[in-house]
Structures are given as structure tokens and as C-alpha cells.
């Protein structure tokens, strides 16, 4: 997997939205409403906005007299999902889900959790502490698009993917693995999971939407964002998978962003800032190859601040 680095800084994009809703058709989106998760949004293209809210423990980070949350590595974390399970956590049980431990003490543990996904595992970091906090995160050097969980959201198969709504992410799956290991009922706490981007603390929202293609040709998403919104990151997760030779191509406004064969490329940023101010934009995923089987797809994630 290659990683394409992005250019830092804030950029703006503008066009036509209604209350920060993508003007798209035939896409699946992930949504949040109030303090409760709602089902992901399907074919209608309604709201799919996820608030980004700072966790309480960051206000006490660095206080030497405070255990638990103050040990969280804020300086390295990017997009994150977090929850407090309301009871002390057995760190030895958490460590059983790691394929690599990165940091451990009497009050906390940090490691990598392998999550099966199309094209191979993704490996979010997971932090857990004795005060009940669980935080799954990707680092600042990893794109937010890694949160897309193709495998658990697909109700079809690889030859005919059906992602009508997005109900979970790879970060939530890491939290679920943790709950299973420590004996916590995930169904009881999943509605409490919130998101935050430690790299962009001023960002208050995230948008995730996907488009798939199961036969040869292109599928399109038409995107607009108001000019009074600040977008901090746009990233993509492109996959193409099957046992035969296939390929996928990602284009933005007709410009080739990436091309892969039988796998994935999740290190994609909008490095050239193709999503420019004052224009409507088109994201296209193309599928092809020497087989009638398999599929391709692209997930797009925007991290932004609303006015």
C-alpha cells in the first residue's frame, strides 16, 4: 500500500448544498443526529453529517496528577472514535486483541487492532485506560478515509456490493473488538460513541459517502460544498477486488487521481486541491479488467468546519 502525502493547510470549496447536504444520487452515507446515532443514509442522498466533538479528557491532558485520559497521545492522533464504558477496564484483556503493543503502563495501553477489510487489514490504533476510556484512532499521517468499513456495511457480495446505508466504521469495529474482549455489551455503548479529529481541533463535522461499481464502466458522484465552510481534509479509499485480473480508477473532475489493481489504495489525499472554490465537482470510480466478476468502490471523507 502506498501512501500519498497531502499538502497542509485549509482550503475552501463552494457550490450548492441544502443545510450541508451533498447534492448526490445513488450513494450511501453515514449520519448522526443529536446525541444518538441514526442509520446511515441510503439512496436518497439525505444528510450524512457526523459531528466532531472533543472528549472531556483532553481538557486535563498533561496534568501529572491525573491518571487515565491524560496519557492519551493527542499529538499523534488524527480522526478518532471514543467512548467511556463507565467502569474500570482490564488492560490485560485489551492487549489480547492487539497484533502489536505500542505503549503500556499501569493505567493505560496502546496498540494496533487489525480490522479485516477489502484489500487487506487496516490497523487503527486503540487506546484504553483504567478509568473506562476507549479511543480508536488513525494517526495524523493516515487519511481519515481509512474509517470506511466496506466489509461490514456490504449487504451483498464482492460481485454485487449493496451498501445502501453505512452503519459502522473501522474505528467502531476496533471499539467493538475491545468490548468483546473485556466483557462489555457493545450494543449498550455503541450509541454513545463520538468522533473527534485531534489533528484539526477547529473542525466540527465529518462527511463520509461511498460509490461502488460492479460491472465495467464508470459511476459518478456530484459534489458541492458551500463557500462559507472550511474543509481541512479530503481523502479517498479506493478498492478493486476479485480473484481475476481487475483494476479501478479514481477521477475527480475528469482528472486521474489514482489507479489500482486487485487491492486497495487508502493513502489518497486531495494533494492538488482539485475540489476548488466556486465549482460543482464530479467524483468517478471506474471498474474494468479481464473478468465478469468483482467490483470497485470509492469512499470519500471530508473533514470541515461549518459556519
Amino acid at each position: 500500500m502506498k501512501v500519498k502525502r497531502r499538502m497542509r493547510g485549509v482550503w475552501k470549496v463552494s457550490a450548492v448544498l441544502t443545510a450541508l447536504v451533498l447534492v448526490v444520487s445513488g450513494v450511501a452515507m453515514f449520519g448522526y443526529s443529536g446525541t444518538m446515532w441514526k442509520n446511515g443514509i441510503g439512496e436518497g442522498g439525505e444528510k450524512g453529517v457526523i459531528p466532531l466533538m472533543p472528549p472531556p479528557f483532553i481538557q486535563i491532558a498533561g496534568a501529572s496528577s491525573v491518571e487515565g485520559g491524560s496519557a492519551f497521545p493527542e499529538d499523534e492522533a488524527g480522526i478518532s472514535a471514543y467512548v467511556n464504558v463507565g467502569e474500570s477496564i482490564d488492560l490485560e484483556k485489551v492487549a489480547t486483541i492487539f497484533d502489536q503493543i505500542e505503549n503500556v503502563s499501569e493505567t493505560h495501553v496502546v496498540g494496533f487492532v487489525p480490522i479485516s477489510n477489502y484489500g487487506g487489514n487496516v490497523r487503527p490504533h486503540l487506546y484504553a485506560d483504567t478509568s473506562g476510556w476507549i479511543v480508536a484512532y488513525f494517526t495524523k499521517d493516515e487519511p481519515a478515509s481509512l474509517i470506511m468499513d466496506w466489509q461490514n456495511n456490504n449487504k451483498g457480495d464482492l460481485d454485487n456490493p449493496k451498501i445502501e446505508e453505512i452503519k459502522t466504521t473501522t474505528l467502531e469495529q476496533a471499539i467493538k473488538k475491545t468490548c468483546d474482549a473485556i466483557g462489555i455489551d457493545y450494543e449498550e455503548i455503541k450509541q454513545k460513541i463520538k468522533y473527534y479529529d485531534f489533528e484539526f481541533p477547529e473542525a466540527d463535522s465529518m462527511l463520509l459517502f461511498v460509490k461502488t461499481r460492479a460491472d465495467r464502466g464508470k459511476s459518478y458522484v456530484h459534489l458541492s460544498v458551500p463557500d462559507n465552510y472550511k474543509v481541512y481534509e479530503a481523502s479517498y479509499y479506493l478498492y478493486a477486488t476479485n480473484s481475476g485480473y481487475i483494476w479501478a480508477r479514481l477521477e475527480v473532475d475528469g482528472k486521474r487521481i489514482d489507479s489500482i489493481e486487485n487491492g486497495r489504495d487508502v493513502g489518497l489525499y486531495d494533494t492538488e486541491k482539485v475540489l476548488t472554490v466556486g465549482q460543482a465537482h464530479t467524483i468517478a470510480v471506474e471498474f474494468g479488467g479481464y473478468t465478469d466478476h468483482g467490483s470497485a468502490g470509492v469512499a470519500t471523507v471530508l473533514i470541515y468546519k461549518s459556519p
Side-chain angles (χ1 to χ4, degrees):
M1 180 185 75
K2 61 180 180 293
V3 175
K4 298 180 180 179
R5 300 286 182 178
R6 79 194 125 163
M7 295 171 62
R8 297 268 175 182
V10 176
W11 47 268
K12 293 184 179 181
V13 291
S14 78
V16 183
L17 277 203
T18 302
L20 194 57
V21 178
L22 281 172
V23 182
V24 296
S25 62
V27 300
M29 302 168 68
F30 194 46
Y32 185 94
S33 178
T35 59
M36 299 293 290
W37 287 105
K38 64 181 179 179
N39 288 343
I41 305 301
E43 297 297 326
E46 297 91 345
K47 276 197 285 188
V49 176
I50 306 168
L52 299 176
M53 297 172 281
F57 62 75
I58 69 170
Q59 300 176 12
I60 58 174
S64 58
S65 61
V66 180
E67 296 181 350
S70 62
F72 181 76
E74 293 180 44
D75 292 341
E76 73 173 46
I79 191 63
S80 307
Y82 64 91
V83 69
N84 192 294
V85 298
E87 62 183 75
S88 182
I89 292 175
D90 186 331
L91 302 181
E92 290 186 3
K93 291 182 178 178
V94 175
T96 64
I97 69 172
F98 295 155
D99 64 3
Q100 179 181 339
I101 293 178
E102 189 169 76
N103 188 276
V104 64
S105 75
E106 293 183 357
T107 60
H108 77 280
V109 64
V110 181
F112 292 88
V113 181
I115 303 297
S116 180
N117 213 355
Y118 291 168
N121 289 347
V122 294
R123 298 172 70 240
H125 282 75
L126 187 126
Y127 165 95
D129 66 36
T130 53
S131 61
W133 286 107
I134 302 173
V135 187
Y137 65 96
F138 292 107
T139 66
K140 295 177 180 179
D141 293 330
E142 297 174 303
S145 56
L146 279 164
I147 71 171
M148 179 56 199
D149 185 341
W150 295 102
Q151 194 157 303
N152 286 296
N153 286 296
N154 182 13
K155 301 307 179 184
D157 55 40
L158 285 179
D159 292 340
N160 186 27
K162 296 180 180 179
I163 306 178
E164 297 175 349
E165 53 187 15
I166 302 170
K167 291 186 176 182
T168 189
T169 67
T170 55
L171 295 181
E172 291 185 19
Q173 289 299 305
I175 293 176
K176 182 180 186 301
K177 272 194 170 184
T178 308
C179 289
D180 292 344
I182 63 179
I184 296 290
D185 187 349
Y186 176 72
E187 295 301 315
E188 290 186 1
I189 66 99
K190 70 177 182 179
Q191 300 292 334
K192 301 177 183 178
I193 296 173
K194 295 180 174 63
Y195 283 78
Y196 184 63
D197 195 326
F198 287 89
E199 182 175 10
F200 303 112
E202 293 185 358
D204 59 19
S205 302
M206 174 172 64
L207 190 62
L208 163 62
F209 58 96
V210 302
K211 190 69 174 179
T212 60
R213 182 81 189 189
D215 54 5
R216 293 183 183 91
K218 291 184 180 181
S219 292
Y220 301 90
V221 176
H222 303 290
L223 167 67
S224 304
V225 182
D227 57 5
N228 57 344
Y229 287 69
K230 289 184 178 180
V231 178
Y232 295 87
E233 175 184 318
S235 58
Y236 313 97
Y237 182 148
L238 179 67
Y239 88 84
T241 186
N242 189 66
S243 58
Y245 172 71
I246 59 173
W247 49 262
R249 293 170 181 164
L250 171 64
E251 296 179 355
V252 179
D253 294 341
K255 182 174 182 177
R256 178 80 58 82
I257 300 297
D258 197 47
S259 179
I260 59 171
E261 300 178 4
N262 289 355
R264 67 165 191 228
D265 196 335
V266 291
L268 297 173
Y269 295 95
D270 191 3
T271 56
E272 298 182 21
K273 301 181 181 177
V274 179
L275 298 176
T276 54
V277 174
Q279 297 181 14
H281 301 283
T282 298
I283 298 171
V285 57
E286 183 176 8
F287 177 63
Y290 303 116
T291 177
D292 293 327
H293 303 287
S295 63
V298 61
T300 303
V301 172
L302 302 180
I303 305 294
Y304 63 92
K305 181 179 180 180
S306 54

